[in-house]
Amino acid sequence: MALVVRNSRARNQGGTVDESDIHHPLLELRLTPDRGLGLFAKKIIKRGVRLLSETPLLVVVSKKGPVSYLDLRQELVKLSPAQLETLYDLQHNPKLLRPKLEAQIRDYAEFARKFVKDDAGMDHFVDCQIKVKAIFDTNATALRNKPGTAIFPLYSRANHSCTPNVYANYNPQLGSHTVHTIRDIHAGEEILTAYIDIAQASDEREENLAKRGVTCQCPACLPGDAFVTSERRRQRIFDFKRCSYAYEGDQVRASDVPAYIIPRNPIEALDRAHEIIKLLLQEGLLGMELAQAYRWASKYSLQSGMLEKAKAFAQKEAEVELYCLGKETGYMSEPSNAAGWTKQLEDMADKDKVKFKMCEKRMMKEAKRLDKKAEKKAKKR
Ligand SMILES: [Zn+2]
């Protein structure tokens, strides 16, 4: 897919859009009413379509904490004039032009003062550097599967939503950053990605987005009925996910989970996974967090002796993985990819299958008994 981004500085300043700027069969750049430029679908796009496969313009690996101006500068000097121009053409959020940053850059530039004859030249240099840092902070993407934060010529144009319609991922096998549609998209619809972990409550999302100068205006963030429903669901997803991590022994991601809600056995863990899947689907969160939930459900079904159910969930996981990441998932070690997990289930020895079948019958009986008990209890109330 040949992608060309031409100079758009005049467009950004003038507020009009020349749609011939990007040469892409499915996407175009348009001005949004409140978020500057965005990527839009030119036609109907089905789920699972690879919209972008880009190599980064630059990748910055911070030695400690967030990317500093000095981290960025080390990479900037490696860029060609054309690459610098592409970078400079990206938009920046004026909220990120912080006085502290200006002081830091001015301090750094002082050493160069002896090489610059006039103060006006120095001021221009400092202004450019401040803007470039703001451009970086506005557009940079933390890479999945690779250390570093990167800028992409086109993906960096995509705006944020807490209910995105694409999934972005760095694919080491391809050596590029891919973006796939995770549901069908209408002609004229904006391509929206997630800048942060979206399966968390609104105050956490707000805090994380503020670091990029973003105030989200999506239905899950704006006050109203949709917000209340969404908030309740996402809080439950967040809590149930932490329960699953706690059950898996991942203490870091399970921080502060009250012991009494941690699943005590595979049946309870499966129950949580079911709930996560239901809530994610209701919320329209269809990215790899859904694949993770299907994996949990598959794993706990297996541990509960329900092999066929485990296979059915594995198939669901594979579907999600395919539309989010594409076919090239060889870089994911087995069984961390869905194909590896499915194969593991398929390859189970016959004696294991018999064992699981027997266990499955026993578990079904137990589940029926518990259902009846719950029914009786409900009637008494
Ligand atoms: Zn939002």
Side-chain angles (χ1 to χ4, degrees):
M1 208 180 278
L3 303 170
V4 182
V5 180
R6 293 197 187 133
N7 192 340
S8 54
R9 197 172 303 149
R11 177 196 57 226
N12 289 350
Q13 286 168 354
T16 56
V17 179
D18 175 0
E19 288 176 359
S20 65
D21 257 1
I22 64 167
H23 291 250
H24 191 291
L26 302 171
L27 305 175
E28 62 192 9
L29 272 179
R30 280 199 215 158
L31 268 176
T32 64
D34 50 0
R35 288 161 297 153
L37 288 166
L39 286 174
F40 286 80
K42 282 186 196 172
K43 49 177 101 165
I44 294 170
I45 309 174
K46 288 281 178 198
R47 185 181 76 173
V49 172
R50 181 169 292 168
L51 293 179
L52 299 172
S53 179
E54 290 185 289
T55 48
L57 196 58
L58 83 159
V59 179
V60 184
V61 181
S62 155
K63 290 180 192 75
K64 200 178 152 195
V67 171
S68 70
Y69 167 67
L70 291 184
D71 294 328
L72 174 62
R73 188 155 169 75
Q74 278 179 358
E75 296 304 318
L76 283 178
V77 294
K78 298 176 191 166
L79 297 185
S80 68
Q83 288 173 318
L84 275 172
E85 192 182 354
T86 305
L87 178 69
Y88 209 75
D89 283 346
L90 291 172
Q91 293 180 307
H92 68 278
N93 189 327
K95 286 184 199 164
L96 296 174
L97 296 172
R98 294 180 287 264
K100 198 176 154 198
L101 173 66
E102 184 176 344
Q104 191 189 1
I105 293 173
R106 204 167 278 285
D107 280 352
Y108 181 74
E110 275 306 313
F111 86 96
R113 189 167 285 281
K114 58 186 170 188
F115 304 109
V116 182
K117 295 254 179 319
D118 59 305
D119 280 350
M122 177 58 78
D123 287 344
H124 179 65
F125 169 78
V126 171
D127 287 348
C128 287
Q129 297 297 296
I130 291 169
K131 187 177 163 189
V132 166
K133 180 66 168 73
I135 287 174
F136 184 84
D137 290 345
T138 306
N139 296 283
T141 302
L143 295 174
R144 288 183 175 118
N145 309 318
K146 189 180 158 90
T149 313
I151 294 277
F152 297 93
L154 265 185
Y155 176 66
S156 295
R157 302 283 191 185
N159 287 314
H160 167 86
S161 168
C162 299
T163 313
N165 50 20
V166 294
Y167 187 82
N169 178 64
Y170 182 77
N171 186 320
Q173 202 172 337
L174 297 170
S176 65
H177 185 254
T178 61
V179 179
H180 291 87
T181 50
I182 58 174
R183 62 168 172 76
D184 294 352
I185 291 177
H186 314 294
E189 191 177 339
E190 186 172 5
I191 303 301
L192 295 165
T193 189
Y195 293 167
I196 52 155
D197 176 7
I198 43 181
Q200 51 186 343
S202 62
D203 48 352
E204 265 120 334
R205 300 201 305 273
E206 196 180 337
E207 195 183 319
N208 289 324
L209 286 169
K211 290 176 192 158
R212 296 182 59 135
V214 174
T215 309
C216 189
Q217 305 278 316
C218 82
C221 288
L222 286 178
D225 291 348
F227 168 80
V228 176
T229 312
S230 172
E231 185 68 357
R232 203 179 304 130
R233 283 186 196 141
R234 288 183 200 229
Q235 187 62 60
R236 292 184 74 197
I237 293 170
F238 184 67
D239 290 342
F240 285 148
K241 273 175 74 178
R242 288 195 309 153
C243 283
S244 298
Y245 286 128
Y247 186 66
E248 296 275 310
D250 183 343
Q251 293 308 323
V252 179
R253 285 191 277 191
S255 60
D256 304 328
V257 185
Y260 69 91
I261 61 167
I262 299 172
R264 289 163 298 178
N265 53 49
I267 289 280
E268 286 184 5
L270 178 59
D271 192 48
R272 303 274 194 281
H274 268 144
E275 197 62 21
I276 298 171
I277 292 167
K278 191 180 86 187
L279 292 164
L280 287 171
L281 291 173
Q282 285 172 346
E283 264 310 86
L285 302 181
L286 309 173
M288 285 302 284
E289 57 278 344
L290 182 58
Q292 167 73 81
Y294 280 132
R295 169 64 67 91
W296 278 328
S298 176
K299 201 170 150 185
Y300 304 143
S301 296
L302 184 68
Q303 288 173 6
S304 305
M306 295 179 275
L307 182 60
E308 292 310 314
K309 206 168 176 183
K311 283 186 192 173
F313 280 123
Q315 206 175 342
K316 290 273 185 196
E317 181 199 348
E319 273 172 34
V320 178
E321 190 183 279
L322 180 67
Y323 71 65
C324 284
L325 307 178
K327 298 191 295 290
E328 305 85 351
T329 53
Y331 61 92
M332 295 163 80
S333 60
E334 289 185 7
S336 62
N337 61 0
W341 174 245
T342 307
K343 192 168 172 294
Q344 202 165 305
L345 292 176
E346 293 293 344
D347 288 351
M348 293 191 89
D350 283 347
K351 65 177 173 52
D352 285 338
K353 285 184 183 169
V354 173
K355 197 171 80 189
F356 277 120
K357 273 275 173 234
M358 286 170 67
C359 196
E360 195 167 348
K361 278 185 184 165
R362 215 170 36 241
M363 296 304 267
M364 296 280 270
K365 230 173 161 181
E366 177 65 9
K368 270 187 189 167
R369 192 185 68 80
L370 289 174
D371 282 350
K372 273 188 183 166
K373 204 176 161 188
E375 237 174 72
K376 270 187 188 171
K377 217 174 172 184
K379 274 181 190 168
K380 274 185 188 170
R381 276 183 208 150

